[in-house]
Structure formats: C-alpha cells, structure tokens
Amino acid sequence: MTPAAGRAVRQLRYGGPEVLDVTRQPAPVPACGQVRVGVHAASLNARDWHVMRGEPRVARLLDRGTFGRRAPRELVRGTDLAGIVDAVGDGVTRWKVGDPVFGEGSGAFADYALASEDQLWVIPAGVSFAEAASLPLAASTAVLCLDETGLGEGGSVLINGASGGVGTFAVQLAKTLGSYVTAVVSPRNADLARSLGADEVIDYTASDFTRAGQTYDAVVDFVGNRTLRELRATVRPGGRLVLSGGGVAGEGRILGPMRLLMGALAVARLQPFEIRFPQAVPTSDGLRRISQMVESGAVRPVVDQTFALEDVTAAIRYMEGTHARAKVVITVT
C-alpha cells in the first residue's frame, strides 16, 4: 500500500542552505526495475552542495541531466541512503518488501526515496543505518581510487584529504593493500588519521607537502585545491596521480575542481607518470565488495555528526564551514 505522503527536503532555486525546505509531498511510486526505500538515514556528499549551489557554474553547461537553468532537475536532495524496502516495481527480483538495504537513490533526504535495484545491497551485519548510509559513494570512490593506484605490498601513497568522507575509507583500504600511507590533514584530524592506520601524518597548516621534496608511488587527491604543477612534484616517475577532488565550498565558483581536472587532461600524456580520473557509481557488485570489507573488519565507517531531517540546513552549513571529518549523516526515522 502506497503511503499518502512523506517529508522531503526540496529545493526550488540555486543558493546556500537557506534554499532547502522540508515539506510534505506524495510518496514516489517505483517504476519498472526500481524499489522504494523507507529511508532511515542518508549521508551528505560534496556533490550535494555542488548541486544545491549550482556550482561550479560550468557544470550547468556540461551536465544538463542534473542542472537546470535556475534549479536542479531533481528537486529533492540526497543520494546516499540506508533503510527498509517499502515497495518494489515491476521486474524487480533481487529485493522484497522488508529488506534492509543501503546504496544510492534519488531524493534520499526524505521519508521515501527511489533506487534502482542494481544500486543497492544488504546492510552489513552489525552496522547501523547511519553507518550504512555513510558507505555508498564515499567507500565506492575510495575503492575505485585505490584500485587506480595499482599499489600493492610495500608501495607508498600520499592521500590529500585523508580525514574526509572518502579519505577515511581510502586510508584504511591502502593499509589493507600493505602500503605505506601518508595522510595530509588538519591538526584536529591527525589522531583520527593515525587511528585509521596512517603511517605518517602531515599537518597542511604547518607544512606544504608539495614542497617537501618527498615523492610517492601514488598520490591520491580528494580535495582538488592544489595545482597540477604542485602535485606533479610529489609523484615518482612511473607512479600514478589519482584525481578525485570535490573542491572546497565557496572557492572556484566558475570552474572549481574542474580547473585541475581539465588542465591535467590536457597534459596527461606529457607527464613522467600516469594520471587517472576515476568517477565512482555505486553498484550492487561494488556495494557487496564494500559490505564484505566492513564485515571482515578491513574498513569501518566513521560518522562525524548526525542531524535530524528537519536540521538539514545546519548539516550542510556544518559540512561546508567546518571541513567535517569523515561523514555527516541525516537521520530520518
């Protein structure tokens, strides 16, 4: 039976967190191949504030499937979710009503959200809804980026943004590979990076890792706040530079992190190392792999703060202004 309505965080124009409004709207109806999830928790990602603000502006031209002229095409924010399957559409065979799932959907900052059946997986044993909601995009991105480094036992990797949502997973994954991990973080996040397995921690407020003269087999950038000229001084010949930075809120409003990506694409073939540009999309197979890592203890989700659905504007202000460590989660039910 379809619920009559539920709460949803809606956005009718681009702007800061003040453009978000918690309202009530009819519960979405799953189409063929979709399921409806009764959302218990959802997590914030950098792309949520990018879409909310319509920045970087160039994205409005390049991604017309996401960005409209004055507002996003999907008016309810949020993609990462965890909850209980509430209804299934035609053709769905993998899930049934009552299954506890996590993954990626549309309009996740709501009581009810839709998701493709092949972008969900069963919540790992012993993991809360809030922890499960922190996994989909961040852990998928970390896995893909570490795969792209090509590292194995004995390799060295520097992770810029090691205390962020993706970085906290990447540090742990790099250690499971047997790599020597150098984490670039703020002073308040140094202990967190060490607790996740970092062998060395660089305080970016006291030392510029691009001028230290140290090079690594791989450098993974999850921030996007350095130039290619700065980063290439840190990668050994024959190594790999992996770029997946989400940018910094309030900076680079025209091009943002795309400035680095476009510049790197233009000169990638001229470098004495490889440059990789992975873009993660959570899938059932990928989420199953992540679930197995969590259940084995190889990685653990780290949640910084939780906010109620009605406090979503405060949650985004916290993420934008505080450079939150690990994941920020919205609790729905």
Side-chain angles (χ1 to χ4, degrees):
M1 182 175 179
T2 300
R7 298 167 300 163
V9 177
R10 190 177 58 178
Q11 173 186 355
L12 300 179
R13 60 187 174 90
Y14 292 123
E18 69 279 358
V19 304
L20 302 178
D21 178 45
V22 181
T23 187
R24 293 189 68 81
Q25 65 179 31
V29 178
C32 181
Q34 288 184 323
V35 305
R36 185 175 64 222
V37 178
V39 181
H40 284 243
S43 71
L44 295 175
N45 293 297
R47 72 179 175 193
D48 294 315
W49 61 257
H50 279 301
V51 176
M52 177 188 73
R53 293 183 177 275
E55 296 175 356
R57 295 293 182 89
V58 70
R60 301 188 196 183
L61 301 175
L62 300 177
D63 187 359
R64 294 181 180 272
T66 300
F67 296 92
R69 289 193 60 182
R70 293 183 172 84
R73 298 194 183 279
E74 170 61 60
L75 298 183
V76 180
R77 297 277 58 75
T79 53
D80 282 7
L81 57 81
I84 303 295
V85 173
D86 174 72
V88 299
D90 292 341
V92 172
T93 59
R94 181 171 289 175
W95 308 110
K96 64 182 185 301
V97 172
D99 286 339
V101 296
F102 74 107
E104 182 168 284
S106 61
F109 298 166
D111 285 318
Y112 302 98
L114 298 178
S116 171
E117 73 165 330
D118 59 4
Q119 289 189 290
L120 299 170
W121 194 251
V122 180
I123 293 176
V127 170
S128 68
F129 286 112
E131 291 171 328
S134 76
L135 292 169
L137 183 62
S140 296
T141 301
V143 168
L144 180 58
C145 287
L146 265 295
D147 285 347
E148 290 288 336
T149 66
L151 289 176
E153 186 76 31
S156 63
V157 59
L158 177 138
I159 299 174
N160 186 30
S163 62
V166 183
T168 50
F169 288 111
V171 170
Q172 297 176 78
L173 290 167
K175 290 308 299 179
T176 67
L177 295 173
S179 300
Y180 185 91
V181 180
T182 299
V184 181
V185 297
S186 66
R188 76 186 187 100
N189 293 326
D191 288 343
L192 171 63
R194 292 189 183 97
S195 74
L196 297 174
D199 299 288
E200 183 178 348
V201 173
I202 295 176
D203 169 6
Y204 67 73
T205 69
S207 176
D208 184 347
F209 70 90
T210 69
R211 297 188 177 189
Q214 179 67 45
T215 58
Y216 305 86
D217 296 318
V219 172
V220 184
D221 180 23
F222 292 127
V223 185
N225 63 340
R226 309 308 296 255
T227 66
L228 178 61
R229 177 176 293 180
E230 291 171 326
L231 290 172
R232 67 187 178 192
T234 66
V235 187
R236 290 174 184 159
R240 291 185 183 179
L241 172 62
V242 181
L243 301 176
S244 186
V248 178
E251 298 181 9
R253 291 178 173 175
I254 304 300
L255 291 177
M258 297 181 71
R259 179 189 299 273
L260 172 61
L261 297 178
M262 290 187 294
L265 277 169
V267 299
R269 293 184 179 181
L270 304 177
Q271 305 306 312
F273 50 80
E274 295 183 59
I275 305 179
R276 300 294 179 93
F277 311 87
Q279 289 186 318
V281 176
T283 64
S284 292
D285 287 343
L287 294 170
R288 176 178 58 187
R289 180 181 173 188
I290 291 164
S291 179
Q292 291 169 343
M293 291 177 180
V294 172
E295 290 181 335
S296 72
V299 299
R300 62 180 175 90
V302 181
V303 175
D304 179 11
Q305 294 279 353
T306 60
F307 293 81
L309 184 66
E310 288 76 12
D311 296 326
V312 67
T313 56
I316 291 185
R317 286 192 178 99
Y318 176 78
M319 183 177 72
E320 287 187 318
T322 312
H323 301 300
R325 70 187 76 188
K327 294 293 293 183
V328 175
V329 172
I330 305 297
T331 54
V332 181
T333 58

mmCIF file of all heavy atoms in Angstrom, residues 226-258:
data_model
loop_
_atom_site.group_PDB
_atom_site.id
_atom_site.type_symbol
_atom_site.label_atom_id
_atom_site.label_comp_id
_atom_site.label_asym_id
_atom_site.label_seq_id
_atom_site.Cartn_x
_atom_site.Cartn_y
_atom_site.Cartn_z
ATOM 1 N N ARG A 226 44.915 21.964 -5.093
ATOM 2 C CA ARG A 226 46.300 22.189 -5.498
ATOM 3 C C ARG A 226 46.370 22.184 -7.023
ATOM 4 O O ARG A 226 45.528 21.602 -7.707
ATOM 5 C CB ARG A 226 47.227 21.100 -4.942
ATOM 6 C CG ARG A 226 47.104 20.856 -3.445
ATOM 7 C CD ARG A 226 47.230 22.138 -2.616
ATOM 8 N NE ARG A 226 48.527 22.753 -2.727
ATOM 9 C CZ ARG A 226 49.460 22.707 -1.766
ATOM 10 N NH1 ARG A 226 49.235 22.052 -0.639
ATOM 11 N NH2 ARG A 226 50.609 23.326 -1.929
ATOM 12 N N THR A 227 47.405 22.813 -7.552
ATOM 13 C CA THR A 227 47.589 22.831 -8.994
ATOM 14 C C THR A 227 48.317 21.574 -9.438
ATOM 15 O O THR A 227 48.979 20.895 -8.637
ATOM 16 C CB THR A 227 48.412 24.057 -9.431
ATOM 17 O OG1 THR A 227 49.744 23.931 -8.916
ATOM 18 C CG2 THR A 227 47.777 25.343 -8.915
ATOM 19 N N LEU A 228 48.227 21.279 -10.720
ATOM 20 C CA LEU A 228 48.948 20.130 -11.258
ATOM 21 C C LEU A 228 50.455 20.336 -11.095
ATOM 22 O O LEU A 228 51.185 19.390 -10.796
ATOM 23 C CB LEU A 228 48.596 19.916 -12.730
ATOM 24 C CG LEU A 228 49.321 18.763 -13.413
ATOM 25 C CD1 LEU A 228 48.995 17.431 -12.735
ATOM 26 C CD2 LEU A 228 48.948 18.699 -14.898
ATOM 27 N N ARG A 229 50.923 21.555 -11.283
ATOM 28 C CA ARG A 229 52.358 21.827 -11.114
ATOM 29 C C ARG A 229 52.816 21.461 -9.710
ATOM 30 O O ARG A 229 53.892 20.895 -9.515
ATOM 31 C CB ARG A 229 52.645 23.302 -11.387
ATOM 32 C CG ARG A 229 54.109 23.686 -11.157
ATOM 33 C CD ARG A 229 54.365 25.129 -11.523
ATOM 34 N NE ARG A 229 54.204 25.327 -12.963
ATOM 35 C CZ ARG A 229 54.364 26.507 -13.569
ATOM 36 N NH1 ARG A 229 54.680 27.582 -12.856
ATOM 37 N NH2 ARG A 229 54.211 26.613 -14.875
ATOM 38 N N GLU A 230 51.990 21.774 -8.703
ATOM 39 C CA GLU A 230 52.344 21.431 -7.328
ATOM 40 C C GLU A 230 52.306 19.919 -7.108
ATOM 41 O O GLU A 230 53.212 19.339 -6.505
ATOM 42 C CB GLU A 230 51.380 22.121 -6.363
ATOM 43 C CG GLU A 230 51.536 23.626 -6.302
ATOM 44 C CD GLU A 230 50.431 24.299 -5.521
ATOM 45 O OE1 GLU A 230 49.273 23.809 -5.566
ATOM 46 O OE2 GLU A 230 50.704 25.325 -4.870
ATOM 47 N N LEU A 231 51.261 19.271 -7.606
ATOM 48 C CA LEU A 231 51.093 17.845 -7.355
ATOM 49 C C LEU A 231 52.137 16.991 -8.074
ATOM 50 O O LEU A 231 52.573 15.972 -7.551
ATOM 51 C CB LEU A 231 49.689 17.406 -7.769
ATOM 52 C CG LEU A 231 48.542 17.924 -6.895
ATOM 53 C CD1 LEU A 231 47.205 17.580 -7.530
ATOM 54 C CD2 LEU A 231 48.624 17.348 -5.491
ATOM 55 N N ARG A 232 52.536 17.408 -9.266
ATOM 56 C CA ARG A 232 53.460 16.545 -10.018
ATOM 57 C C ARG A 232 54.835 16.452 -9.365
ATOM 58 O O ARG A 232 55.596 15.519 -9.643
ATOM 59 C CB ARG A 232 53.570 17.020 -11.463
ATOM 60 C CG ARG A 232 54.234 18.351 -11.674
ATOM 61 C CD ARG A 232 54.121 18.755 -13.138
ATOM 62 N NE ARG A 232 54.707 20.051 -13.405
ATOM 63 C CZ ARG A 232 54.532 20.713 -14.556
ATOM 64 N NH1 ARG A 232 53.789 20.171 -15.516
ATOM 65 N NH2 ARG A 232 55.092 21.882 -14.752
ATOM 66 N N ALA A 233 55.138 17.390 -8.474
ATOM 67 C CA ALA A 233 56.407 17.319 -7.753
ATOM 68 C C ALA A 233 56.405 16.227 -6.695
ATOM 69 O O ALA A 233 57.453 15.914 -6.121
ATOM 70 C CB ALA A 233 56.696 18.664 -7.086
ATOM 71 N N THR A 234 55.244 15.619 -6.444
ATOM 72 C CA THR A 234 55.137 14.616 -5.383
ATOM 73 C C THR A 234 55.055 13.186 -5.908
ATOM 74 O O THR A 234 55.071 12.243 -5.113
ATOM 75 C CB THR A 234 53.886 14.892 -4.527
ATOM 76 O OG1 THR A 234 52.704 14.695 -5.325
ATOM 77 C CG2 THR A 234 53.882 16.304 -3.985
ATOM 78 N N VAL A 235 54.971 13.001 -7.226
ATOM 79 C CA VAL A 235 54.779 11.666 -7.796
ATOM 80 C C VAL A 235 56.077 11.173 -8.436
ATOM 81 O O VAL A 235 56.687 11.870 -9.255
ATOM 82 C CB VAL A 235 53.659 11.664 -8.858
ATOM 83 C CG1 VAL A 235 53.356 10.235 -9.300
ATOM 84 C CG2 VAL A 235 52.406 12.326 -8.315
ATOM 85 N N ARG A 236 56.494 9.982 -8.076
ATOM 86 C CA ARG A 236 57.707 9.404 -8.649
ATOM 87 C C ARG A 236 57.511 9.077 -10.127
ATOM 88 O O ARG A 236 56.404 8.726 -10.545
ATOM 89 C CB ARG A 236 58.068 8.127 -7.898
ATOM 90 C CG ARG A 236 58.557 8.391 -6.485
ATOM 91 C CD ARG A 236 58.773 7.121 -5.708
ATOM 92 N NE ARG A 236 59.154 7.436 -4.331
ATOM 93 C CZ ARG A 236 59.034 6.605 -3.305
ATOM 94 N NH1 ARG A 236 58.554 5.385 -3.505
ATOM 95 N NH2 ARG A 236 59.397 6.984 -2.098
ATOM 96 N N PRO A 237 58.561 9.162 -10.921
ATOM 97 C CA PRO A 237 58.464 8.719 -12.316
ATOM 98 C C PRO A 237 57.951 7.283 -12.379
ATOM 99 O O PRO A 237 58.404 6.414 -11.634
ATOM 100 C CB PRO A 237 59.906 8.831 -12.819
ATOM 101 C CG PRO A 237 60.517 9.897 -11.960
ATOM 102 C CD PRO A 237 59.888 9.718 -10.611
ATOM 103 N N GLY A 238 56.995 7.055 -13.237
ATOM 104 C CA GLY A 238 56.383 5.736 -13.345
ATOM 105 C C GLY A 238 55.246 5.512 -12.355
ATOM 106 O O GLY A 238 54.597 4.469 -12.388
ATOM 107 N N GLY A 239 55.009 6.497 -11.472
ATOM 108 C CA GLY A 239 53.934 6.375 -10.496
ATOM 109 C C GLY A 239 52.594 6.814 -11.058
ATOM 110 O O GLY A 239 52.430 6.948 -12.265
ATOM 111 N N ARG A 240 51.636 7.064 -10.145
ATOM 112 C CA ARG A 240 50.301 7.459 -10.585
ATOM 113 C C ARG A 240 49.757 8.583 -9.704
ATOM 114 O O ARG A 240 49.917 8.565 -8.486
ATOM 115 C CB ARG A 240 49.334 6.272 -10.542
ATOM 116 C CG ARG A 240 49.638 5.211 -11.588
ATOM 117 C CD ARG A 240 48.598 4.105 -11.597
ATOM 118 N NE ARG A 240 48.947 3.072 -12.556
ATOM 119 C CZ ARG A 240 48.228 1.967 -12.761
ATOM 120 N NH1 ARG A 240 47.115 1.759 -12.054
ATOM 121 N NH2 ARG A 240 48.612 1.071 -13.652
ATOM 122 N N LEU A 241 49.109 9.538 -10.357
ATOM 123 C CA LEU A 241 48.379 10.608 -9.692
ATOM 124 C C LEU A 241 46.897 10.366 -9.934
ATOM 125 O O LEU A 241 46.454 10.295 -11.088
ATOM 126 C CB LEU A 241 48.799 11.967 -10.250
ATOM 127 C CG LEU A 241 47.998 13.185 -9.786
ATOM 128 C CD1 LEU A 241 48.120 13.386 -8.277
ATOM 129 C CD2 LEU A 241 48.458 14.446 -10.538
ATOM 130 N N VAL A 242 46.142 10.215 -8.861
ATOM 131 C CA VAL A 242 44.705 9.931 -8.958
ATOM 132 C C VAL A 242 43.952 11.155 -8.473
ATOM 133 O O VAL A 242 44.103 11.575 -7.318
ATOM 134 C CB VAL A 242 44.323 8.691 -8.130
ATOM 135 C CG1 VAL A 242 42.825 8.413 -8.266
ATOM 136 C CG2 VAL A 242 45.136 7.482 -8.574
ATOM 137 N N LEU A 243 43.135 11.741 -9.351
ATOM 138 C CA LEU A 243 42.425 12.981 -9.042
ATOM 139 C C LEU A 243 40.939 12.702 -8.867
ATOM 140 O O LEU A 243 40.266 12.237 -9.791
ATOM 141 C CB LEU A 243 42.637 14.003 -10.158
ATOM 142 C CG LEU A 243 44.092 14.394 -10.431
ATOM 143 C CD1 LEU A 243 44.167 15.340 -11.618
ATOM 144 C CD2 LEU A 243 44.729 15.031 -9.201
ATOM 145 N N SER A 244 40.423 13.015 -7.678
ATOM 146 C CA SER A 244 39.004 12.824 -7.404
ATOM 147 C C SER A 244 38.525 13.852 -6.393
ATOM 148 O O SER A 244 37.699 13.556 -5.535
ATOM 149 C CB SER A 244 38.758 11.400 -6.876
ATOM 150 O OG SER A 244 37.374 11.143 -6.734
ATOM 151 N N GLY A 245 39.064 15.075 -6.492
ATOM 152 C CA GLY A 245 38.746 16.104 -5.512
ATOM 153 C C GLY A 245 37.393 16.739 -5.752
ATOM 154 O O GLY A 245 37.029 17.048 -6.885
ATOM 155 N N GLY A 246 36.661 16.965 -4.665
ATOM 156 C CA GLY A 246 35.352 17.599 -4.757
ATOM 157 C C GLY A 246 35.378 19.098 -4.616
ATOM 158 O O GLY A 246 34.340 19.752 -4.704
ATOM 159 N N GLY A 247 36.561 19.666 -4.373
ATOM 160 C CA GLY A 247 36.653 21.104 -4.234
ATOM 161 C C GLY A 247 36.336 21.563 -2.829
ATOM 162 O O GLY A 247 36.000 20.774 -1.944
ATOM 163 N N VAL A 248 36.438 22.863 -2.628
ATOM 164 C CA VAL A 248 36.176 23.486 -1.331
ATOM 165 C C VAL A 248 35.016 24.443 -1.481
ATOM 166 O O VAL A 248 34.995 25.271 -2.401
ATOM 167 C CB VAL A 248 37.428 24.239 -0.830
ATOM 168 C CG1 VAL A 248 37.140 24.927 0.500
ATOM 169 C CG2 VAL A 248 38.600 23.271 -0.688
ATOM 170 N N ALA A 249 34.032 24.341 -0.597
ATOM 171 C CA ALA A 249 32.854 25.192 -0.676
ATOM 172 C C ALA A 249 33.240 26.668 -0.655
ATOM 173 O O ALA A 249 34.063 27.092 0.148
ATOM 174 C CB ALA A 249 31.909 24.887 0.487
ATOM 175 N N GLY A 250 32.649 27.433 -1.580
ATOM 176 C CA GLY A 250 32.906 28.865 -1.626
ATOM 177 C C GLY A 250 34.107 29.263 -2.448
ATOM 178 O O GLY A 250 34.365 30.455 -2.625
ATOM 179 N N GLU A 251 34.853 28.289 -2.964
ATOM 180 C CA GLU A 251 36.032 28.588 -3.771
ATOM 181 C C GLU A 251 35.852 28.035 -5.183
ATOM 182 O O GLU A 251 35.273 26.977 -5.372
ATOM 183 C CB GLU A 251 37.287 27.977 -3.133
ATOM 184 C CG GLU A 251 37.602 28.520 -1.748
ATOM 185 C CD GLU A 251 38.859 27.912 -1.155
ATOM 186 O OE1 GLU A 251 39.570 27.206 -1.887
ATOM 187 O OE2 GLU A 251 39.116 28.150 0.036
ATOM 188 N N GLY A 252 36.361 28.776 -6.158
ATOM 189 C CA GLY A 252 36.303 28.307 -7.536
ATOM 190 C C GLY A 252 34.889 28.129 -8.044
ATOM 191 O O GLY A 252 34.528 27.071 -8.557
ATOM 192 N N ARG A 253 34.066 29.164 -7.902
ATOM 193 C CA ARG A 253 32.651 29.028 -8.230
ATOM 194 C C ARG A 253 32.383 28.868 -9.725
ATOM 195 O O ARG A 253 31.304 28.418 -10.105
ATOM 196 C CB ARG A 253 31.877 30.226 -7.670
ATOM 197 C CG ARG A 253 31.829 30.203 -6.143
ATOM 198 C CD ARG A 253 31.123 31.395 -5.564
ATOM 199 N NE ARG A 253 30.955 31.240 -4.137
ATOM 200 C CZ ARG A 253 30.442 32.179 -3.333
ATOM 201 N NH1 ARG A 253 30.065 33.338 -3.853
ATOM 202 N NH2 ARG A 253 30.325 31.954 -2.038
ATOM 203 N N ILE A 254 33.317 29.252 -10.561
ATOM 204 C CA ILE A 254 33.119 29.097 -12.006
ATOM 205 C C ILE A 254 33.570 27.709 -12.464
ATOM 206 O O ILE A 254 32.808 26.962 -13.084
ATOM 207 C CB ILE A 254 33.875 30.180 -12.790
ATOM 208 C CG1 ILE A 254 33.447 31.570 -12.316
ATOM 209 C CG2 ILE A 254 33.619 30.010 -14.291
ATOM 210 C CD1 ILE A 254 31.961 31.847 -12.493
ATOM 211 N N LEU A 255 34.813 27.336 -12.137
ATOM 212 C CA LEU A 255 35.354 26.045 -12.576
ATOM 213 C C LEU A 255 35.533 25.053 -11.435
ATOM 214 O O LEU A 255 35.439 23.843 -11.644
ATOM 215 C CB LEU A 255 36.698 26.265 -13.272
ATOM 216 C CG LEU A 255 36.655 26.978 -14.623
ATOM 217 C CD1 LEU A 255 38.060 27.196 -15.145
ATOM 218 C CD2 LEU A 255 35.830 26.183 -15.632
ATOM 219 N N GLY A 256 35.824 25.552 -10.218
ATOM 220 C CA GLY A 256 36.012 24.666 -9.075
ATOM 221 C C GLY A 256 37.086 23.625 -9.344
ATOM 222 O O GLY A 256 38.102 23.896 -10.001
ATOM 223 N N PRO A 257 36.876 22.383 -8.864
ATOM 224 C CA PRO A 257 37.890 21.336 -9.067
ATOM 225 C C PRO A 257 38.049 20.942 -10.528
ATOM 226 O O PRO A 257 39.017 20.260 -10.882
ATOM 227 C CB PRO A 257 37.360 20.166 -8.233
ATOM 228 C CG PRO A 257 35.891 20.390 -8.154
ATOM 229 C CD PRO A 257 35.733 21.884 -8.090
ATOM 230 N N MET A 258 37.115 21.375 -11.387
ATOM 231 C CA MET A 258 37.220 21.034 -12.806
ATOM 232 C C MET A 258 38.404 21.728 -13.468
ATOM 233 O O MET A 258 38.898 21.272 -14.496
ATOM 234 C CB MET A 258 35.909 21.382 -13.520
ATOM 235 C CG MET A 258 34.723 20.584 -13.007
ATOM 236 S SD MET A 258 33.180 20.951 -13.852
ATOM 237 C CE MET A 258 33.489 20.192 -15.437
#
